[in-house]
Short mmCIF file of all heavy atoms in Angstrom, two decimals:
data_model
loop_
_atom_site.label_atom_id
_atom_site.label_comp_id
_atom_site.label_asym_id
_atom_site.label_seq_id
_atom_site.Cartn_x
_atom_site.Cartn_y
_atom_site.Cartn_z
N LEU D 13 8.04 -11.01 9.52
CA LEU D 13 7.24 -10.78 10.73
C LEU D 13 7.28 -12.03 11.61
O LEU D 13 7.42 -11.92 12.84
CB LEU D 13 5.81 -10.41 10.39
CG LEU D 13 4.95 -9.98 11.58
CD1 LEU D 13 5.60 -8.88 12.39
CD2 LEU D 13 3.57 -9.52 11.08
N ARG D 14 7.21 -13.19 11.04
CA ARG D 14 7.31 -14.45 11.77
C ARG D 14 8.64 -14.49 12.54
O ARG D 14 8.68 -14.81 13.72
CB ARG D 14 7.17 -15.62 10.81
CG ARG D 14 7.07 -16.95 11.48
CD ARG D 14 6.99 -18.09 10.45
NE ARG D 14 5.82 -17.99 9.55
CZ ARG D 14 5.86 -17.64 8.27
NH1 ARG D 14 7.03 -17.36 7.68
NH2 ARG D 14 4.76 -17.55 7.56
N GLN D 15 9.72 -14.12 11.87
CA GLN D 15 11.04 -14.15 12.52
C GLN D 15 11.14 -13.12 13.64
O GLN D 15 11.71 -13.39 14.71
CB GLN D 15 12.15 -13.90 11.50
CG GLN D 15 13.54 -14.17 12.05
CD GLN D 15 13.70 -15.60 12.46
OE1 GLN D 15 13.44 -16.54 11.68
NE2 GLN D 15 14.11 -15.83 13.72
N ILE D 16 10.57 -11.94 13.45
CA ILE D 16 10.56 -10.93 14.52
C ILE D 16 9.82 -11.46 15.75
O ILE D 16 10.28 -11.30 16.87
CB ILE D 16 9.88 -9.63 14.00
CG1 ILE D 16 10.81 -8.93 12.98
CG2 ILE D 16 9.55 -8.69 15.14
CD1 ILE D 16 10.18 -7.81 12.20
N LEU D 17 8.67 -12.12 15.53
CA LEU D 17 7.91 -12.66 16.67
C LEU D 17 8.66 -13.77 17.37
O LEU D 17 8.74 -13.79 18.61
CB LEU D 17 6.55 -13.18 16.14
CG LEU D 17 5.60 -12.10 15.67
CD1 LEU D 17 4.43 -12.74 14.91
CD2 LEU D 17 5.09 -11.27 16.83
N VAL D 18 9.27 -14.65 16.62
CA VAL D 18 10.05 -15.75 17.23
C VAL D 18 11.25 -15.19 18.00
O VAL D 18 11.52 -15.59 19.12
CB VAL D 18 10.49 -16.77 16.15
CG1 VAL D 18 11.52 -17.75 16.71
CG2 VAL D 18 9.28 -17.50 15.59
N ASP D 19 11.94 -14.23 17.39
CA ASP D 19 13.11 -13.60 18.06
C ASP D 19 12.70 -12.89 19.34
O ASP D 19 13.50 -12.77 20.26
CB ASP D 19 13.81 -12.62 17.13
CG ASP D 19 14.56 -13.31 16.00
OD1 ASP D 19 14.73 -14.56 16.05
OD2 ASP D 19 14.94 -12.64 15.02
N ALA D 20 11.46 -12.39 19.41
CA ALA D 20 10.96 -11.69 20.59
C ALA D 20 10.45 -12.68 21.66
O ALA D 20 9.97 -12.26 22.71
CB ALA D 20 9.86 -10.74 20.20
N GLY D 21 10.53 -13.98 21.37
CA GLY D 21 10.17 -14.99 22.38
C GLY D 21 8.75 -15.50 22.28
O GLY D 21 8.23 -16.06 23.24
N PHE D 22 8.11 -15.34 21.12
CA PHE D 22 6.77 -15.87 20.93
C PHE D 22 6.77 -17.21 20.22
O PHE D 22 7.59 -17.46 19.34
CB PHE D 22 5.93 -14.87 20.13
CG PHE D 22 5.56 -13.65 20.89
CD1 PHE D 22 6.33 -12.51 20.82
CD2 PHE D 22 4.44 -13.62 21.70
CE1 PHE D 22 6.00 -11.36 21.53
CE2 PHE D 22 4.07 -12.50 22.43
CZ PHE D 22 4.89 -11.37 22.34
N SER D 23 5.81 -18.01 20.57
CA SER D 23 5.52 -19.26 19.86
C SER D 23 4.30 -18.97 19.02
O SER D 23 3.27 -18.47 19.51
CB SER D 23 5.23 -20.38 20.85
OG SER D 23 4.73 -21.52 20.21
N ILE D 24 4.37 -19.30 17.71
CA ILE D 24 3.26 -19.03 16.82
C ILE D 24 2.34 -20.24 16.76
O ILE D 24 2.79 -21.33 16.37
CB ILE D 24 3.77 -18.67 15.43
CG1 ILE D 24 4.61 -17.38 15.52
CG2 ILE D 24 2.60 -18.48 14.44
CD1 ILE D 24 5.36 -17.03 14.25
N LYS D 25 1.10 -20.05 17.14
CA LYS D 25 0.11 -21.15 17.18
C LYS D 25 -0.63 -21.29 15.86
O LYS D 25 -0.99 -22.38 15.47
CB LYS D 25 -0.90 -20.91 18.31
CG LYS D 25 -0.27 -20.78 19.70
CD LYS D 25 0.44 -22.06 20.05
CE LYS D 25 1.07 -21.93 21.43
NZ LYS D 25 1.93 -23.05 21.74
N ALA D 26 -0.90 -20.18 15.21
CA ALA D 26 -1.61 -20.17 13.92
C ALA D 26 -1.30 -18.87 13.19
O ALA D 26 -0.93 -17.89 13.80
CB ALA D 26 -3.11 -20.29 14.14
N GLU D 27 -1.48 -18.90 11.91
CA GLU D 27 -1.30 -17.68 11.12
C GLU D 27 -2.32 -17.66 9.98
O GLU D 27 -2.62 -18.70 9.40
CB GLU D 27 0.13 -17.57 10.57
CG GLU D 27 0.71 -18.79 9.98
CD GLU D 27 2.18 -18.63 9.64
OE1 GLU D 27 3.03 -18.61 10.57
OE2 GLU D 27 2.49 -18.53 8.44
N TRP D 28 -2.86 -16.49 9.73
CA TRP D 28 -3.92 -16.32 8.74
C TRP D 28 -3.66 -15.05 7.95
O TRP D 28 -3.07 -14.08 8.47
CB TRP D 28 -5.27 -16.16 9.41
CG TRP D 28 -5.71 -17.40 10.15
CD1 TRP D 28 -5.37 -17.75 11.44
CD2 TRP D 28 -6.53 -18.43 9.65
NE1 TRP D 28 -5.97 -18.94 11.74
CE2 TRP D 28 -6.67 -19.40 10.68
CE3 TRP D 28 -7.16 -18.66 8.44
CZ2 TRP D 28 -7.43 -20.52 10.52
CZ3 TRP D 28 -7.90 -19.83 8.28
CH2 TRP D 28 -8.04 -20.73 9.32
N GLY D 29 -4.12 -15.05 6.73
CA GLY D 29 -4.12 -13.84 5.93
C GLY D 29 -5.52 -13.27 5.90
O GLY D 29 -6.51 -13.99 5.90
N ILE D 30 -5.62 -11.95 5.93
CA ILE D 30 -6.90 -11.29 5.85
C ILE D 30 -6.91 -10.45 4.57
O ILE D 30 -6.02 -9.65 4.34
CB ILE D 30 -7.14 -10.42 7.10
CG1 ILE D 30 -7.12 -11.30 8.33
CG2 ILE D 30 -8.46 -9.65 6.98
CD1 ILE D 30 -7.11 -10.54 9.64
N CYS D 31 -7.89 -10.69 3.75
CA CYS D 31 -8.07 -10.04 2.44
C CYS D 31 -6.94 -10.39 1.47
O CYS D 31 -5.93 -9.71 1.37
CB CYS D 31 -8.19 -8.51 2.55
SG CYS D 31 -8.64 -7.79 0.97
N GLU D 32 -7.17 -11.50 0.79
CA GLU D 32 -6.20 -11.89 -0.26
C GLU D 32 -6.14 -10.80 -1.34
O GLU D 32 -7.13 -10.13 -1.61
CB GLU D 32 -6.65 -13.19 -0.92
CG GLU D 32 -6.38 -14.40 -0.09
CD GLU D 32 -6.78 -15.66 -0.82
OE1 GLU D 32 -7.98 -15.85 -1.02
OE2 GLU D 32 -5.87 -16.42 -1.22
N MET D 33 -4.99 -10.61 -1.92
CA MET D 33 -4.75 -9.57 -2.92
C MET D 33 -4.29 -10.17 -4.24
O MET D 33 -3.15 -9.92 -4.69
CB MET D 33 -3.67 -8.60 -2.36
CG MET D 33 -4.04 -7.96 -1.02
SD MET D 33 -5.43 -6.85 -1.09
CE MET D 33 -4.74 -5.43 -1.87
#
Side-chain angles (χ1 to χ4, degrees):
L13 188 52
R14 189 181 299 107
Q15 190 62 54
I16 289 168
L17 292 167
V18 169
D19 289 348
F22 288 94
S23 170
I24 299 171
K25 303 297 180 188
E27 45 188 72
W28 295 86
I30 300 171
C31 188
E32 284 183 291
M33 303 293 284

